[in-house]
Amino acid sequence: MESPQTTPTPGKPPLRRKGEQTRRRIVDAAAELFHARGVDGTGLDAILRRAGAGKSQFYQHFRNKDALVEAVLGDFEARLEASMTPLRGEIATLADLERWLLGFIEELEALHCRRGCPAGTIVAGLHESEDGYREAVKTCFAGIESALTPVIADLQARGEIAATAPPASLAAFVIALQQGAATLTKAQGEAAPAREAIRQAVALLRGGAPP
């Protein structure tokens, strides 16, 4: 999923536009490196080299690395929610939801199945004492669940989903499915098992068996 592009707002002072572009480069560089190496395996110097930015520019936008992690997670949440926007108006069947889920696996295939979900990669590197990261991750997934819940409720109302569990519970199930499928793809180095898991889960939703 590509990062949103920063479009300069007409009338903004050039220095402000430049600052927004620098922040965007830093967040994009961090997202790429966190995804590839994890948070612990990524130093600030590596992020700034990739972004073409200096430490003084970094501290103009972020108080520390924790704040950058929060920004990366917030960006990921926003991109996922944006990808759901068409679903809210256009999804009519479970097949549409299945295609949305399979789209994540296709992205991982494009990366040769060597990476998992960006947010999941950050979660995997969490230590017991890193409550700041944990709260940021919780906020990220809560936002995704909030965006997905009305989609599930609509499918239930249409009779596409026979399962009678609350929409929020089914949304959490779908998120867990997406995360598990991403981990499976990375672990096995191929996408076929994850695709089959998604198909079987969708069949359970369609048939009404408790997921």
Side-chain angles (χ1 to χ4, degrees):
M1 192 176 302
E2 296 182 356
S3 298
Q5 299 298 313
T6 301
T7 302
T9 302
K12 280 191 177 180
L15 286 177
R16 184 175 176 185
R17 290 201 301 269
K18 187 174 180 180
E20 290 174 350
Q21 292 165 358
T22 299
R23 185 185 187 281
R24 179 77 264 160
R25 290 201 313 273
I26 293 171
V27 171
D28 287 347
E32 174 65 21
L33 292 174
F34 290 165
H35 196 192
R37 306 176 186 175
V39 174
D40 283 350
T42 304
L44 181 57
D45 288 342
I47 294 170
L48 296 179
R49 278 197 302 272
R50 190 178 190 93
K55 286 191 177 179
S56 62
Q57 291 172 303
F58 173 83
Y59 287 112
Q60 286 176 7
H61 300 285
F62 307 100
R63 64 184 182 278
N64 51 31
K65 186 180 174 182
D66 288 3
L68 179 57
V69 172
E70 291 176 12
V72 168
L73 285 168
D75 196 58
F76 176 69
E77 177 191 340
R79 287 185 284 127
L80 269 186
E81 289 189 18
S83 78
M84 289 179 206
T85 299
L87 292 182
R88 295 190 186 109
E90 298 173 9
I91 191 167
T93 67
L94 264 177
D96 295 330
L97 181 63
E98 182 177 348
R99 279 192 292 273
W100 181 73
L101 285 166
L102 290 173
F104 291 104
I105 305 305
E106 290 170 4
E107 289 185 8
L108 298 182
E109 276 191 300
L111 297 169
H112 310 290
C113 300
R114 293 176 181 172
R115 300 186 189 180
C117 168
T121 300
I122 292 176
V123 171
L126 281 174
H127 300 299
E128 185 175 347
S129 61
E130 292 177 328
D131 291 336
Y133 291 175
R134 198 178 313 279
E135 285 303 313
V137 171
K138 283 172 63 177
T139 298
C140 175
F141 282 115
I144 297 167
E145 181 179 319
S146 177
L148 188 56
T149 296
V151 174
I152 298 294
D154 185 56
L155 284 174
Q156 287 180 308
R158 292 171 183 263
E160 281 286 318
I161 290 180
T164 57
S169 297
L170 294 178
F173 168 69
V174 171
I175 293 169
L177 170 64
Q178 184 265 336
Q179 288 294 304
T183 299
L184 195 61
T185 299
K186 180 181 179 181
Q188 298 196 354
E190 61 173 317
R195 281 200 177 93
E196 182 59 24
I198 289 171
R199 292 190 184 101
Q200 291 297 329
V202 168
L204 285 174
L205 290 172
R206 181 179 292 113

